[in-house]
């Protein structure tokens, strides 16, 4: 705004100068003097390549053809302004009264080029104007008053080298009213990136605004896809404060004016409709603040309070978001929905948006929907720091229970996801139906899970998942599976009445390594018996290899049986059958144990027989009465006594005392 006013003022000086000498100096001399004076005022090269001629009727004025105002050397070859003609209209009353006044300045078919360099320099920042040389014709003693300025059939090119973006505006028609006293107004229309845009803005205190002060401002911007309204105060710093409202089905033209591109928004986040209202504040330091904010994103309505402050590397966003319902977008490169036959997606998950800003956001909504789940109320805190997002889940009411814990998405050096979650008292059937398309498990459940996955797509993350956890289900049932009947009949297709397995409790612990979940202590307690389980679930490949082993049950013939059930194959359609091979192995082990027992019994009997025969021979030879009950010590003592007696008899014979 300031550069436009300065440019118009300089042009007005030239126009008055030209009028003062129009009848005494040739037109080429007028063009040279006018261009020199304008160039000195702006600090830029200015040329008037066409004829300069006065007009006496119906208005007094000057028309100069071929106006060109240069850009700085670093901005390229295109000039700041290249117009077919410059027309200045002066009131006869002002000339007769000796006043310096301009009724209207018109730029005909101007081509305006504005450039912002990568280092922040801007092409419309004029240097301090030099004083005109003493040889130039003397100008007016005081600045002229400009009543109005107009652009006819203009075009504007905005080139932002810092953002790498170009904006092209054509068909520019604008009129700027600058009354000496009263409200300044600018109204116009243009074509921005193929969309017609109209503008109507007013400033109550334009002189104060130009001097760096505040002025009451009103702004109305309309295009085929929306409208913007602002009413408040502002300064050229830039700074403003007031009520803002935006209603749009297409934000592209508005973002183009602001030098930004329209993002590819997902459904539920403003793809079809976006509305914003509230009190906004923009400070000279570059911070922005929103209070009493109301945001509509498609069908989502939220109350928002935000503070955005600039930072060395990225802006910082702090605020609160609350509402009745928030719909999360489907994650790009996420799972293949509930159709698990397709496997995990290998599309790259884009996380560059995590580095756009740092943030601390408190979210409280009655209902949160996304990824097939519907939960609420939700109370969480989101902290985003240098590409690492931490969701502190204070409480998420879900399916009759609650979820608490922490979930982390880290985009530094590639993508990793992790969490420490606690799920308590949820209804199993609805949560598994919404999350995995599985609706056969009834009852309530609780679980804890700690996990970490690394990879740039879901397939890689799930194939390398690490973690551990536990689960505990209360009384419930498995629909479509009659486990008790299957065990009794050894028929994998047995359904029975109701075709369901009722249980009292299920519990177990598990570990996850390289995407494979392993469990060896599953326990199911049911009115009809007990079942234990062990096996593996390959999360990356989405396959099962799990064995359920029941306790002994009474079979149809009254025999006590123990038939394991094998669950294997893809988890989208696993095979469930009695594990007869395992049963045969168990029976073979039992038969082997029986035969080994019989062999041990025969060996014991043979050993007893041989031992009895040996004892008989010893008794016959020694004249003892040993039996199977005689201990080793007793036998030794008896033998030693027998030897002493024999030795005594032999000694008596030698002494002649014996027979």
């Amino acid at each position: 705004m300031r550069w436009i006013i300065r440019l118009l003022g300089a042009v007005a000086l030239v126009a008055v100068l030209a009028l003062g000498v129009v009848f005494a100096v040739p037109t080429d001399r007028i063009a040279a003097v006018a261009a020199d004076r304008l160039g000195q005022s702006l600090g830029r090269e200015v040329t008037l390549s066409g004829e300069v001629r006065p007009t006496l009727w119906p208005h007094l004025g000057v028309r100069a053809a071929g106006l060109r105002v240069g850009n700085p050397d670093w901005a390229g070859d295109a000039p700041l302004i290249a117009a077919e003609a410059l027309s200045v209209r002066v009131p006869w009353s002002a000339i007769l009264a000796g006043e310096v006044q301009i009724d209207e300045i018109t730029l005909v078919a101007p081509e305006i080029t504005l450039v912002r360099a990568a280092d922040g320099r801007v092409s419309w920042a004029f240097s301090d104007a030099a004083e005109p040389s003493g040889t130039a014709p003397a100008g007016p003693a005081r600045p002229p008053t400009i009543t109005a300025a107009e652009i006819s059939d203009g075009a504007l090119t905005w080139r932002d080298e810092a953002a790498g973006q170009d904006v092209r505006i054509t068909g520019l028609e604008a009129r700027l009213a600058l009354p000496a006293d009263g409200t300044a107004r600018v109204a116009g229309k243009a074509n921005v990136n193929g969309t017609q845009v109209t503008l109507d803005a007013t400033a109550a205190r334009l002189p104060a605004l130009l001097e760096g002060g505040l002025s009451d401002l009103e702004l109305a911007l309309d295009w085929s896809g929306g409208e913007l309204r602002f009413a408040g105060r502002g300064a050229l710093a830039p700074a403003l404060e007031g009520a803002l409202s935006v209603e749009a089905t297409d934000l592209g033209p508005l973002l183009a004016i602001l030098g930004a591109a329209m993002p590819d928004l997902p459904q539920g986040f403003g793809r079809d409709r976006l509305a914003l209202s509230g009190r906004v504040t923009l400070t000279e330091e570059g911070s922005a603040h929103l209070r009493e904010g109301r945001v509509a994103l498609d069908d989502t309505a939220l109350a928002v309070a935000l503070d955005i402050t600039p930072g060395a590397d990225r802006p910082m966003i702090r605020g609160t978001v609350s509402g009745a319902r928030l719909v999360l977008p489907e994650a790009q490169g996420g799972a293949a929905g509930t159709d698990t036959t397709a496997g995990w997606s290998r599309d790259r998950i884009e996380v560059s948006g995590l580095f756009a800003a740092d943030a601390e956001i408190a979210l409280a909504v009655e209902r949160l929907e996304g990824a097939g789940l519907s939960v609420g109320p939700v109370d969480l805190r989101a902290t985003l720091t240098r590409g690492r997002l931490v969701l502190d889940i204070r409480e998420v009411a879900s399916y009759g229970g609650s979820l608490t814990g922490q979930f982390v998405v880290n985009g530094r050096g590639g993508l990793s996801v992790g969490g420490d979650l606690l799920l308590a008292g949820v209804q199993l059937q609805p949560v598994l139906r919404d999350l995995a398309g599985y609706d056969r498990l009834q009852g309530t459940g609780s679980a804890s899970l700690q996990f970490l996955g690394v990879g740039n797509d879901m397939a890689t993350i799930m194939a390398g998942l690490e973690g551990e956890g536990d689960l505990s289900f209360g009384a419930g049932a498995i629909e479509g599976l009659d486990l008790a009947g299957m065990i009794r009949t050894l028929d994998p297709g047995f359904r029975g009445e109701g075709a369901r397995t009722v249980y009292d409790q299920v519990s177990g612990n598990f570990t996850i390594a390289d995407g494979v979940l392993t469990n060896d202590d599953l326990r199911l307690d049911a009115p009809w018996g007990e079942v234990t389980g062990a096996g593996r679930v390959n999360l990356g490949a989405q396959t099962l290899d799990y064995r359920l082993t029941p306790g002994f049950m009474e079979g149809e013939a009254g025999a006590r049986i123990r038939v394991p059930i094998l669950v294997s194959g893809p988890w989208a359609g696993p095979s469930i059958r009695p594990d007869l091979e395992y049963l045969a192995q168990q029976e073979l082990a039992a038969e082997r144990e029986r035969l080994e027992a019989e062999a041990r019994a025969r060996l014991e009997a043979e050993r007893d027989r041989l031992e009895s025969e040996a004892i008989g021979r010893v008794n016959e030879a020694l004249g003892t009465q040993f039996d199977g009950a005689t201990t080793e010590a007793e036998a030794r003592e008896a033998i030693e006594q027998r030897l002493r007696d024999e030795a005594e008899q032999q000694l008596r014979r030698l002494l002649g005392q014996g027979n």
Side-chain angles (χ1 to χ4, degrees):
M1 185 69 174
R2 187 190 301 273
W3 73 271
I4 295 176
I5 300 299
R6 183 172 178 183
L7 177 60
L8 293 177
V11 171
L13 288 173
V14 173
V16 173
L17 173 65
L19 282 174
V21 297
V22 68
F23 297 108
V25 181
T27 56
D28 57 345
R29 177 59 178 162
I30 294 175
V33 172
D36 180 66
R37 188 64 180 272
L38 186 56
Q40 292 183 51
S41 177
L42 299 178
R44 296 287 177 82
E45 179 185 3
V46 178
T47 60
L48 290 169
S49 59
E51 181 185 10
V52 177
R53 60 184 177 83
T55 59
L56 303 177
W57 186 262
H59 307 289
L60 178 63
V62 174
R63 179 181 176 87
L67 171 67
R68 179 185 174 97
V69 179
N71 258 324
D73 294 339
W74 56 264
D77 297 332
L80 177 67
I81 298 176
E84 288 184 6
L86 166 68
S87 177
V88 179
R89 194 173 74 185
V90 181
W92 279 103
S93 58
I95 295 296
L96 296 175
E99 296 178 353
V100 182
Q101 182 177 338
I102 302 296
D103 264 352
E104 185 175 293
I105 296 176
T106 301
L107 283 174
V108 180
E111 179 74 38
I112 303 171
T113 302
L114 306 178
V115 182
R116 180 169 67 180
D119 58 9
R121 291 176 296 171
V122 293
S123 64
W124 59 90
F126 298 120
S127 61
D128 291 337
E131 290 296 329
S133 64
T135 60
R142 56 188 176 88
T145 300
I146 304 172
T147 304
E150 186 173 343
I151 293 177
S152 173
D153 191 24
L156 184 146
T157 299
W158 160 254
R159 191 168 76 248
D160 189 343
E161 296 177 348
Q165 186 177 19
D166 291 348
V167 177
R168 178 68 174 169
I169 298 176
T170 59
L172 179 60
E173 305 282 343
R175 183 172 180 83
L176 175 63
L178 301 169
D181 297 312
T183 301
R185 178 182 179 185
V186 59
K189 62 181 181 179
N191 189 297
V192 180
N193 288 354
T195 300
Q196 188 74 22
V197 177
T198 61
L199 170 69
D200 193 341
T202 60
R205 301 174 58 226
L206 184 60
L209 189 67
L210 296 178
E211 292 174 3
L214 290 172
S215 173
D216 292 338
L217 299 175
E218 291 188 8
L219 172 67
L221 189 66
D222 295 272
W223 62 97
S224 60
E227 63 178 31
L228 180 148
R229 299 290 184 269
F230 175 80
R233 302 183 304 161
L236 295 179
L240 57 83
E241 185 276 328
L244 174 70
S245 66
V246 180
E247 176 80 28
T249 57
D250 179 14
L251 280 176
L254 177 59
L255 293 177
I257 294 173
L258 299 175
M262 183 67 186
D264 184 14
L265 296 174
Q267 175 63 36
F269 269 63
R271 187 183 68 185
D272 301 322
R273 174 179 175 267
L274 185 146
L276 167 67
S277 64
R279 298 201 62 83
V280 298
T281 302
L282 177 65
T283 68
E284 296 183 16
E285 292 76 18
S287 66
H289 310 270
L290 173 64
R291 294 294 182 268
E292 304 173 17
R294 295 290 183 270
V295 176
L297 304 171
D298 296 327
D299 296 329
T300 300
L302 301 170
V304 179
L306 291 177
D307 295 313
I308 304 175
T309 55
D313 299 318
R314 59 188 62 84
M316 179 68 181
I317 304 173
R318 293 184 174 90
T320 61
V321 179
S322 60
R325 176 175 173 264
L326 176 61
V327 180
L328 295 179
E330 293 295 331
Q332 180 182 0
T338 58
D339 181 14
T340 55
T341 60
W344 302 109
S345 172
R346 293 193 175 275
D347 294 340
R348 182 179 180 86
I349 301 174
E350 181 57 54
V351 294
S352 59
L354 294 176
F355 296 89
D358 292 338
E360 295 176 1
I361 303 294
L363 174 67
V365 294
E366 293 299 316
R367 180 64 51 184
L368 181 66
E369 300 176 5
L373 294 175
S374 178
V375 298
V378 173
D379 181 10
L380 60 83
R381 302 293 182 269
T383 303
L384 178 59
T385 307
R386 292 182 291 107
R388 183 174 184 269
L389 174 64
V390 179
L391 297 179
D392 182 10
I393 306 171
R394 308 224 171 156
E395 182 177 9
V396 174
S398 56
Y399 301 92
S402 65
L403 172 68
T404 57
Q406 191 176 85
F407 183 80
V408 179
V409 179
N410 190 351
R412 304 172 187 170
L415 174 62
S416 65
V417 295
D420 186 350
L421 305 175
L422 178 62
L423 195 64
V426 299
Q427 297 293 323
L428 297 174
Q429 189 175 54
V431 71
L432 290 176
R433 179 183 61 237
D434 291 349
L435 188 61
Y438 185 83
D439 60 359
R440 294 186 178 185
L441 189 59
Q442 296 179 346
T444 60
S446 299
S448 68
L449 173 64
Q450 300 84 44
F451 68 94
L452 175 64
V454 179
N456 293 319
D457 56 72
M458 281 299 298
T460 303
I461 291 173
M462 297 305 294
L465 203 64
E466 304 283 338
E468 62 181 2
D470 59 71
L471 56 87
S472 177
F473 300 162
I478 306 174
E479 297 291 339
L481 175 65
D482 188 350
L483 186 59
M486 189 183 301
I487 294 171
R488 285 195 304 269
T489 63
L490 299 183
D491 180 7
F494 184 85
R495 290 294 180 266
E497 184 178 356
R500 65 201 306 256
T501 298
V502 178
Y503 60 84
D504 294 326
Q505 184 178 10
V506 178
S507 62
N509 299 275
F510 58 85
T511 59
I512 306 173
D514 294 328
V516 178
L517 183 151
T518 303
N519 160 259
D520 60 7
D521 65 350
L522 183 72
R523 179 184 177 91
L524 182 150
D525 294 320
W528 44 266
E530 170 194 297
V531 176
T532 59
R536 294 152 55 93
V537 179
N538 192 321
L539 302 175
Q542 299 183 356
T543 59
L544 298 163
D545 184 11
Y546 204 83
R547 179 177 290 108
L548 298 170
T549 305
F552 285 108
M553 299 180 59
E554 294 295 328
E556 294 181 337
R560 289 168 58 82
I561 58 177
R562 184 186 180 104
V563 181
I565 301 298
L566 186 63
V567 183
S568 61
W571 66 29
S575 168
I576 304 175
R577 66 184 188 279
D579 193 353
L580 300 181
E581 180 181 354
Y582 179 80
L583 180 62
Q585 292 174 352
Q586 295 299 103
E587 291 178 347
L588 180 61
E591 179 66 15
R592 182 170 58 248
E593 185 177 348
R594 184 184 64 80
L595 293 175
E596 289 176 352
E598 291 178 355
R600 285 194 299 269
R602 288 195 297 268
L603 289 174
E604 288 288 338
E606 182 66 15
R607 186 189 64 187
D608 291 343
R609 185 184 66 78
L610 294 175
E611 183 178 337
S612 178
E613 290 181 357
I615 291 174
R617 293 191 184 96
V618 170
N619 287 334
E620 182 179 354
L622 299 178
T624 57
Q625 300 296 322
F626 297 154
D627 58 25
T630 303
T631 65
E632 182 179 350
E634 291 173 340
R636 183 182 298 110
E637 184 178 355
I639 293 173
E640 290 177 352
Q641 183 62 43
R642 177 69 176 172
L643 292 175
R644 284 195 297 270
D645 292 343
E646 288 291 333
E648 184 178 353
Q649 290 179 5
Q650 292 295 332
L651 182 59
R652 287 176 178 175
R653 289 191 187 99
L654 291 174
L655 296 176
Q657 297 179 357
N659 294 325

